[in-house]
Amino acid sequence: MYKPRPTGTREQAVFDFTLASRLQELSRYDAAAVVFICNDQPTIDSLAHLPAAYPRLMMLALIVNSQPLPHAEQDADSETPMRCEWTTPEQWRRYALTDRWARITAALEAASRMPNDGYLIMPAHDAVWGRGLLKTLIGFSQRHASQGVPAAVSPYTYYQHSTIPDIDIDPAIIDALNAAFARDSLLRFRFLTGRYQSYWGKMGMIPFQMCAAILSRVETMIWEDDLEIDNAIRAAGYAVRCIWVDRAGLYRQALPVFDRAGLYAVIERTLHYSLNLPGRYYGEKSLLNQPLDPIGRLHWLFSPRFRAAVAFADEITTEATNALTTRIDCYGKSWVDWGQYRYVVRVGDPSVQVWKCDKSMV
């Protein structure tokens, strides 16, 4: 939890609906517990109503944040704010790792100490769980056990965005976001082989027995943390599998994305994950910039709604690609703001620099 529960009507409705879906599903298990790993006390306070609403769940809260890099560890890139012409460059400070990694490693550390055979579950805010999802995933995990340890598992869905009851979200925004991530029609079959990335940060379950091994192997300066966790699981010799979920009632995602600006922010952030992969132009290897495959082109031919969604997604993707290209050509790097932090990515480098503007600095 990197900020308090939203106060805006639509944002709060999406937050409450998605969180309630997860807490309700967890409440069906006697031994389930929830740990809110938060950025500060106001965020914890904004969740104070939850224990009374879910009396079957044990709830705990921790404050965990990334720490600034000591001056002794600064390098030539310490001049990034000035060289990149950021506003008030003297107030920017570099941090040791992303806030996501700070909280992920705290979760892995806690789970590695658990004495029983359970799971660490780390869902994104926009994950919507349906009744029976955890039972389905646990059974899938046990069927793909390796070395006597159940597999780490993630569900994956076409529905990267969806509506929620009583909240008006423009269908064109939902369709465009789903179309943007639907470039690989064979993705579900790639999951069946087990050789494709199978752990996804939108929703992942990791057996407690794996957590120490993962923690000892992950490189926390890699921005794409779900792929890094996937690699660490495989390096440790454990199994990791992904299951495609067709039923939106069992698993889907719903984001606080209501307009073009929100859609742009998601696409912009996603493009930056692929800048470490070489191509003819920046962002070429991102799934978002891939042409439709034959099945996608067939869908495009016969579905006017899909054609409109693809055109809208392509328009945003082109705009965001051009923006990051301009930054790289000018400064040799690109960046994206997410929460309180600014993430700086360099071409060909999977690591990320983390910066935060500290207005108390002079």
Side-chain angles (χ1 to χ4, degrees):
M1 311 293 291
Y2 61 93
K3 61 182 178 181
R5 175 182 179 234
T7 56
T9 302
R10 289 195 299 179
E11 291 80 0
Q12 187 178 95
V14 172
F15 177 90
D16 288 349
F17 180 84
T18 57
L19 180 57
S21 77
R22 302 192 295 272
L23 296 180
Q24 287 166 4
E25 176 69 356
L26 280 174
S27 294
R28 306 184 198 284
Y29 293 82
D30 292 334
V34 180
V35 182
F36 293 106
I37 307 179
C38 303
N39 63 318
D40 59 21
Q41 189 61 45
T43 295
I44 295 175
D45 294 342
S46 74
L47 307 172
H49 61 291
L50 293 175
Y54 300 92
R56 285 174 52 85
L57 288 174
M58 178 174 67
M59 295 189 183
L60 306 171
L62 305 173
I63 295 176
V64 175
N65 289 295
S66 178
Q67 297 301 310
L69 270 180
H71 289 294
E73 297 183 25
Q74 298 286 342
D75 55 23
D77 288 312
S78 62
E79 298 298 319
T80 291
M82 182 172 296
R83 291 176 179 171
C84 293
E85 301 180 281
W86 295 352
T87 303
T88 59
E90 71 282 356
Q91 294 182 341
W92 289 88
R93 192 168 185 183
R94 191 172 169 190
Y95 279 68
L97 69 168
T98 69
D99 57 332
R100 278 179 54 86
W101 266 123
R103 292 170 195 134
I104 287 170
T105 53
L108 288 168
E109 172 66 28
S112 70
R113 299 175 181 273
M114 296 298 291
N116 58 314
D117 296 333
Y119 290 87
L120 169 64
I121 309 176
M122 294 191 287
H125 285 195
D126 40 298
V128 181
W129 297 0
R131 181 165 188 159
L133 175 67
L134 295 185
K135 181 180 179 180
T136 298
L137 294 180
I138 290 169
F140 186 75
S141 168
Q142 293 172 346
R143 290 195 300 274
H144 292 88
S146 175
Q147 299 189 49
V149 177
V153 298
S154 288
Y156 197 95
T157 177
Y158 169 81
Y159 303 102
Q160 301 283 305
H161 195 8
S162 60
T163 189
I164 65 171
D166 303 320
I167 294 297
D168 181 27
I169 303 177
D170 185 351
I173 298 296
I174 293 175
D175 288 349
L177 193 126
N178 288 332
F181 289 91
R183 300 289 177 147
D184 186 353
S185 302
L186 299 178
L187 192 55
R188 69 173 68 198
F189 300 104
R190 300 188 201 282
F191 291 146
L192 288 175
T193 68
R195 294 191 293 269
Y196 195 77
Q197 178 180 341
S198 296
Y199 182 85
W200 297 89
K202 292 293 184 182
M203 165 56 183
M205 293 177 57
I206 303 175
F208 291 153
Q209 301 99 306
M210 292 186 190
C211 291
I214 294 171
L215 192 59
S216 68
R217 285 172 170 80
V218 291
E219 171 52 65
T220 55
M221 288 310 297
I222 302 297
W223 192 22
E224 197 171 356
D225 43 68
D226 50 357
L227 179 58
E228 179 68 6
I229 291 172
D230 185 282
N231 290 336
I233 293 170
R234 297 172 192 269
Y238 294 117
V240 54
R241 299 301 293 259
C242 185
I243 181 173
W244 185 280
V245 180
D246 276 314
R247 290 169 46 206
L250 187 64
Y251 173 69
R252 60 189 171 91
Q253 293 162 26
L255 294 76
V257 173
F258 310 105
D259 53 26
R260 193 182 191 281
L263 180 60
Y264 182 94
V266 173
I267 288 177
E268 177 190 39
R269 185 166 64 242
T270 304
L271 284 171
H272 281 76
Y273 288 135
S274 67
L275 290 183
N276 62 302
L277 302 174
R280 293 168 301 168
Y281 60 88
Y282 306 131
E284 179 195 14
K285 294 301 180 69
S286 173
L287 176 65
L288 300 177
N289 271 317
Q290 298 307 302
L292 291 174
D293 61 17
I295 297 175
R297 290 198 296 271
L298 193 64
H299 189 191
W300 183 91
L301 185 63
F302 289 101
S303 173
R305 180 173 177 176
F306 186 64
R307 279 202 301 275
V310 169
F312 191 9
D314 285 352
E315 175 189 319
I316 301 293
T317 301
T318 299
E319 182 180 330
T321 301
N322 290 340
L324 70 85
T325 296
T326 298
R327 285 193 293 270
I328 293 170
D329 288 345
C330 185
Y331 305 111
K333 59 193 73 175
S334 185
W335 57 86
V336 61
D337 293 335
W338 193 5
Q340 297 179 329
Y341 297 87
R342 177 165 290 178
Y343 300 103
V344 179
V345 184
R346 293 162 292 188
V347 176
D349 188 349
S351 66
V352 65
Q353 291 182 8
V354 183
W355 294 84
K356 184 179 179 182
C357 188
D358 184 352
K359 292 182 170 53
S360 67
M361 294 178 64
V362 178

